Amino acid sequence: MNTEGFLAARMARLKSSAIRELLKQSKMEGVISLAGGIPSSALFDFDGLREATQLAITEYPEHAFQYGLTEGSHTLRERIAELCEGRGVVASADDIVVTAGSQQALDLVMRAVVDPGDIFVVERPTYLAALQTLELAEAQILSVGSDSDGMIVDELAELLKTRKIKGVYVVPTFGNPSGVTLSRARREQLVQLAVKHEFLILEDDPYGELRFTDERQPTLFELSQSLFGNTENIIYTSTFSKILAPGLRLGWVIMPQWLLHNVAIIKQAADLHASALSQSVAECYLGLNRMTAQVEKIRATYKKKCAVLAQLLESELGDVLTFEYPKGGMFLWVRFREPRNCTEWMKKALEQGVVFVPGEYFFAENPDHSTFRLSFATATEEQMQEAVARLKRAL
Amino acid sequence: MNTEGFLAARMARLKSSAIRELLKQSKMEGVISLAGGIPSSALFDFDGLREATQLAITEYPEHAFQYGLTEGSHTLRERIAELCEGRGVVASADDIVVTAGSQQALDLVMRAVVDPGDIFVVERPTYLAALQTLELAEAQILSVGSDSDGMIVDELAELLKTRKIKGVYVVPTFGNPSGVTLSRARREQLVQLAVKHEFLILEDDPYGELRFTDERQPTLFELSQSLFGNTENIIYTSTFSKILAPGLRLGWVIMPQWLLHNVAIIKQAADLHASALSQSVAECYLGLNRMTAQVEKIRATYKKKCAVLAQLLESELGDVLTFEYPKGGMFLWVRFREPRNCTEWMKKALEQGVVFVPGEYFFAENPDHSTFRLSFATATEEQMQEAVARLKRAL
């Protein structure tokens, strides 16, 4: 049987497979990976997770194992609302949909708002899997550059002179892969442009809590609320993956009501609701009051790991590489001082037993081939030392 | 801000909200619901689930809480393959993707294969949320009738004379809402048509294990394998929701390789992977060897409940209602002998404190308004007695 005609046309546009195949290599014995965007399981609060799971299955077994609401457990949404209040994101349980990680939030929102050809603007570079959701929704993806203050919003303003856009996708705080944080001035400029030109802002905030300093930028959600008294065009999403446990596959999205109702309908068709067991564990965990200490621990550890990797890179490879010190998050975004194709170079690095993500995959257009992303979250200090030595040998 | 233009055009086609609002009523105090498609939590094997969860979080905590493979845990897929072998569905772990319930399998497959306007054929009536996934994918939905032998495949053959179709969605065993089972002859006819006319069969099998007799029809997957030596156009999906616990949100889909790779790419963008905690619990549960006894228990209980409800309907309302005795599953599909709009009638039933799902929602076209669906899975015998008395009063 000829099966070729069975696939939908959109499948030809999806290009995730190259990087996916590439990263399978990172599982090979002896290879040190600085590639994955995964948190360190050495930092997981296993004791707290076990206590929460015990509580969920003994005290609320029906809640954990029976069907639940599409929007998510009401108790969990209330606790998420409390958590968000600490971030300056003031919303009620009824403004929240619990999703299978923030990844699903991106996908659901794109499906609800993007018609084929609608323009969505992203940063250059941006989160790889956000590009995938935009490609699946058949958006026209445009991009604007970024620098050490994050997305260059002036470029967006220029673009808006000639184009009507549906929305902007942005990771304003400790971006993936760039590590940079959008400055206060640009945040205000962005939310003002959004109201003036009537476009959506999808604010993706997986790393906001993982800050290494006391400096805290207001979320775009918070700024829009304070500048305009509403968040009718702001969609805020975050996740338990980086602060609790990614295996739970739990995130959430805070939306205006006109959108929430539609996202819930799509979620119902997509998977009915997020794992009730995962939700029960998360809500019990939040009830244990361990989250604040847990986040502190992650912050302190990542801060130290970041410093170690940065210093190694600087001392060993500072003559050929350059990067910004991130103020939080999980990533170092590195650029060769002289042009080099990092996808090609990765093969050499792999021969030496070290792997990273070549930068080009994070660009919707005009890729900078001289860039690559390193994660400092999972490797130990010894592994980092060895990894940097191997990178050096690969040159 | 005018937010109306923000929604994608496809949202206007989705009509799930009516029934969704309607069923919220069923949560009202004192209302007996025969509406939900949910399994009885009184039958959940809580002891086994707790034992499995304990094992998962103490023996394999990293597996349960860290990121995992998009296709799903390899051990779980191996155990699912064993489970399926008992159903005559012979596949390996590499042919399986673990999904967030079979609901997600439907959605992922539709996204991978349906271009807007592609024709998908369903039974009349059919599973409501399958229609939603087809609507989201912007398929052109056509339908063929069904009778006590399931989908009338002759009608499909007739349709194929003039139309090229992408696929057929069918619940061949103990259908939802119809309760009927596709006969052996029609199964063969269907898989033969699929090969001849090169279309896909999406075989949805959530209820197959819940049989009340020893009679077992071969799956379409099995038939295709035995008749043609391959299953290149067959997609088989099933779920843990009806045999273990729906709150885990775990199902699976068995696909040919040309499709599996593409579904995995979409799943990666949709939610990365199913809850690792849920997967761990399911794989530990399967390792406990309790599933066979658990399924036996569900079977025996549903069989009895089905008989009770059927007898009550027959003795109390047999003069105005008619239905087929299902040989398994969770539903009685009931029809008024004289025409009646059951959506209208439900308001009266609700006043009496009983709720069901009006049949019209299960039709892609040409709804039979005189039908409604009753679930016998969750109500107790006393509740069924009272429910039927209330239905009678509502007449």
Side-chain angles (χ1 to χ4, degrees):
Chain A
M1 190 179 305
N2 178 14
T3 58
E4 250 173 60
F6 283 142
L7 285 176
R10 74 182 67 85
M11 297 313 298
R13 292 185 67 195
L14 293 177
K15 55 188 174 193
S16 72
S17 40
I19 179 75
R20 207 159 171 259
E21 294 310 308
L22 209 64
L23 290 179
K24 279 189 184 161
Q25 317 259 17
S26 70
K27 312 272 181 199
M28 290 188 317
E29 185 103 28
V31 172
I32 300 174
S33 175
L34 303 176
I38 72 175
S40 171
S41 44
L43 292 173
F44 288 175
D45 179 12
F46 284 121
D47 287 344
L49 284 165
R50 272 190 280 259
E51 190 179 340
T53 308
Q54 287 287 2
L55 211 55
I57 63 175
T58 51
E59 299 294 315
Y60 316 101
E62 190 158 339
H63 188 56
F65 292 116
Q66 184 55 285
Y67 281 119
L69 295 174
T70 295
E71 292 84 352
S73 146
H74 199 268
T75 310
L76 177 58
R77 284 182 285 141
E78 282 176 339
R79 288 181 174 167
I80 288 171
E82 285 167 27
L83 186 74
C84 284
E85 211 175 327
R87 302 181 185 182
V89 174
V90 180
S92 82
D94 293 335
D95 303 317
I96 296 171
V97 170
V98 177
T99 53
S102 50
Q103 185 64 43
Q104 190 188 38
L106 306 186
D107 189 44
L108 294 175
V109 168
M110 296 312 179
R111 295 176 84 178
V113 304
V114 173
D115 279 313
D118 278 355
I119 297 176
F120 238 88
V121 178
V122 300
E123 301 160 274
R124 210 169 46 237
T126 191
Y127 172 49
L128 178 62
L131 293 177
Q132 287 176 294
T133 63
L134 283 164
E135 281 162 9
L136 267 171
E138 301 179 54
Q140 183 183 351
I141 307 172
L142 297 183
S143 65
V144 296
S146 65
D147 59 22
S148 54
D149 280 336
M151 173 184 270
I152 301 170
V153 184
D154 277 343
E155 282 189 26
L156 177 67
E158 195 57 35
L159 187 154
L160 287 164
K161 285 180 184 164
T162 57
R163 309 297 287 267
K164 173 68 186 163
I165 72 169
K166 178 58 76 86
V168 166
Y169 167 80
V170 60
V171 183
T173 307
F174 319 136
N176 176 5
S178 68
V180 298
T181 295
L182 193 63
S183 69
R184 171 68 184 244
R186 287 188 184 174
R187 283 173 194 246
E188 290 191 11
Q189 189 187 4
L190 179 57
V191 296
Q192 277 161 347
L193 280 175
V195 166
K196 184 176 167 199
H197 294 273
E198 296 198 339
F199 62 81
L200 298 168
I201 295 177
L202 178 39
E203 177 175 27
D204 189 5
D205 187 28
Y207 311 108
E209 302 256 26
L210 308 182
R211 55 179 186 276
F212 305 156
T213 71
D214 288 336
E215 197 184 323
R216 196 183 77 76
Q217 289 294 345
T219 59
L220 302 172
F221 184 98
E222 184 178 356
L223 267 183
S224 186
Q225 186 66 48
S226 69
L227 288 173
F228 302 107
N230 78 73
T231 53
E232 279 296 289
N233 61 329
I234 312 282
I235 302 147
Y236 174 90
T237 181
S238 188
T239 177
F240 287 109
S241 293
K242 308 304 187 277
I243 55 175
L244 185 58
L248 295 175
R249 304 307 307 123
L250 282 185
W252 65 90
V253 50
I254 298 178
M255 292 167 283
Q257 288 297 317
W258 64 265
L259 179 59
L260 189 141
H261 175 68
N262 286 281
V263 163
I265 290 174
I266 299 178
K267 179 148 176 71
Q268 200 183 20
D271 63 2
L272 299 182
H273 60 78
S275 163
L277 178 59
S278 288
Q279 292 188 71
S280 276
V281 170
E283 81 187 46
C284 288
Y285 186 90
L286 290 172
L288 297 176
N289 292 319
R290 297 173 73 110
M291 186 61 98
T292 307
Q294 173 61 11
V295 169
E296 283 304 329
K297 183 174 141 192
I298 298 171
R299 259 181 211 156
T301 310
Y302 285 0
K303 180 181 179 177
K304 196 171 159 211
K305 280 168 174 272
C306 177
V308 169
L309 184 60
Q311 278 153 25
L312 281 166
L313 284 175
E314 221 161 50
S315 63
E316 297 298 311
L317 295 163
D319 51 334
V320 291
L321 299 177
T322 174
F323 59 91
E324 298 266 348
Y325 272 81
K327 290 176 180 165
M330 295 167 52
F331 304 110
L332 279 180
W333 179 243
V334 190
R335 184 180 285 103
F336 274 97
R337 293 178 187 276
E338 302 292 328
R340 176 183 294 255
N341 186 314
C342 289
T343 304
E344 285 305 310
W345 182 56
M346 191 173 119
K347 291 170 193 161
K348 289 206 178 116
L350 198 58
E351 283 169 22
Q352 296 298 330
V354 59
V355 70
F356 51 79
V357 185
E360 65 168 296
Y361 295 102
F362 299 100
F363 290 81
E365 53 188 352
N366 307 329
D368 181 348
H369 292 281
S370 300
T371 56
F372 59 99
R373 187 191 77 177
L374 298 179
S375 163
F376 48 78
T378 49
T380 62
E381 291 190 24
E382 293 71 36
Q383 286 172 325
M384 284 182 186
Q385 254 166 348
E386 179 58 28
V388 172
R390 291 179 186 181
L391 285 176
K392 200 170 179 179
R393 284 205 296 274
L395 282 173
Chain B
M1 190 179 304
N2 178 13
T3 57
E4 251 173 60
F6 283 141
L7 285 177
R10 74 181 69 85
M11 297 313 298
R13 292 185 67 197
L14 293 177
K15 54 187 174 194
S16 72
S17 40
I19 179 74
R20 207 158 170 258
E21 294 310 308
L22 209 64
L23 290 180
K24 278 189 183 157
Q25 317 260 17
S26 69
K27 313 271 181 202
M28 290 188 317
E29 185 104 28
V31 171
I32 300 174
S33 175
L34 303 176
I38 72 174
S40 170
S41 44
L43 292 174
F44 288 176
D45 178 11
F46 284 121
D47 288 344
L49 284 164
R50 273 190 281 258
E51 191 179 340
T53 307
Q54 285 289 1
L55 211 56
I57 63 176
T58 51
E59 299 293 315
Y60 317 101
E62 190 158 338
H63 187 57
F65 292 117
Q66 184 56 283
Y67 281 119
L69 295 175
T70 295
E71 291 84 350
S73 147
H74 199 269
T75 309
L76 177 58
R77 284 182 286 140
E78 281 176 338
R79 288 182 176 168
I80 288 171
E82 285 167 28
L83 186 74
C84 283
E85 211 175 326
R87 302 182 185 181
V89 174
V90 179
S92 82
D94 293 336
D95 303 317
I96 297 171
V97 170
V98 178
T99 53
S102 50
Q103 185 64 43
Q104 190 188 39
L106 306 185
D107 189 44
L108 294 175
V109 168
M110 296 311 179
R111 294 176 84 178
V113 304
V114 174
D115 280 313
D118 279 356
I119 297 175
F120 237 88
V121 177
V122 301
E123 299 160 277
R124 207 166 52 236
T126 191
Y127 173 51
L128 179 61
L131 293 177
Q132 287 176 293
T133 63
L134 283 165
E135 282 163 9
L136 268 171
E138 300 179 55
Q140 184 183 350
I141 307 172
L142 298 182
S143 65
V144 296
S146 64
D147 58 22
S148 54
D149 280 334
M151 173 183 271
I152 300 170
V153 183
D154 277 342
E155 283 189 25
L156 177 66
E158 195 57 35
L159 188 154
L160 288 165
K161 286 180 183 164
T162 57
R163 309 298 286 268
K164 172 69 186 162
I165 72 170
K166 177 59 75 87
V168 167
Y169 167 79
V170 60
V171 184
T173 307
F174 319 136
N176 176 3
S178 68
V180 298
T181 295
L182 194 62
S183 69
R184 171 69 185 243
R186 287 187 184 174
R187 283 173 194 245
E188 291 191 10
Q189 189 188 2
L190 179 57
V191 297
Q192 278 161 346
L193 281 175
V195 167
K196 183 176 167 197
H197 293 273
E198 295 198 338
F199 62 81
L200 299 168
I201 295 177
L202 177 39
E203 177 175 26
D204 189 5
D205 187 28
Y207 311 109
E209 302 256 26
L210 308 181
R211 55 180 185 275
F212 304 155
T213 71
D214 288 336
E215 196 184 325
R216 196 183 77 76
Q217 289 294 345
T219 60
L220 301 173
F221 184 98
E222 184 179 356
L223 268 184
S224 186
Q225 186 66 48
S226 68
L227 287 174
F228 301 109
N230 76 74
T231 54
E232 279 298 288
N233 62 328
I234 312 283
I235 302 148
Y236 174 90
T237 181
S238 188
T239 176
F240 287 110
S241 293
K242 308 305 187 279
I243 55 174
L244 185 57
L248 296 174
R249 304 308 305 124
L250 282 184
W252 64 90
V253 50
I254 298 178
M255 291 166 285
Q257 289 297 317
W258 64 265
L259 179 59
L260 189 142
H261 175 69
N262 286 280
V263 163
I265 290 174
I266 299 178
K267 180 150 176 69
Q268 200 183 21
D271 64 2
L272 299 182
H273 60 78
S275 163
L277 178 59
S278 288
Q279 291 187 72
S280 278
V281 170
E283 81 188 46
C284 287
Y285 187 89
L286 290 172
L288 297 175
N289 292 320
R290 296 172 72 109
M291 186 62 98
T292 307
Q294 172 61 12
V295 169
E296 283 303 330
K297 182 174 141 191
I298 297 171
R299 259 181 212 156
T301 311
Y302 284 2
K303 180 181 179 178
K304 196 171 159 211
K305 280 167 174 270
C306 177
V308 169
L309 184 59
Q311 277 154 24
L312 281 165
L313 284 176
E314 223 161 46
S315 64
E316 297 298 311
L317 295 162
D319 51 334
V320 291
L321 299 176
T322 175
F323 60 89
E324 298 266 349
Y325 272 82
K327 291 176 179 166
M330 293 166 53
F331 305 111
L332 278 181
W333 180 242
V334 189
R335 183 179 286 106
F336 275 96
R337 294 180 186 274
E338 302 291 327
R340 177 183 293 255
N341 185 314
C342 288
T343 304
E344 285 306 309
W345 182 55
M346 191 174 118
K347 292 171 193 160
K348 290 205 178 115
L350 199 58
E351 283 169 21
Q352 296 298 329
V354 59
V355 71
F356 51 79
V357 185
E360 64 168 297
Y361 295 102
F362 300 100
F363 290 81
E365 53 189 351
N366 307 330
D368 181 347
H369 293 281
S370 300
T371 56
F372 60 98
R373 188 191 77 177
L374 298 179
S375 162
F376 47 78
T378 49
T380 62
E381 291 190 24
E382 293 70 36
Q383 286 172 325
M384 284 182 188
Q385 254 167 347
E386 179 58 27
V388 172
R390 290 179 187 181
L391 286 176
K392 201 170 178 180
R393 283 206 294 276
L395 282 172

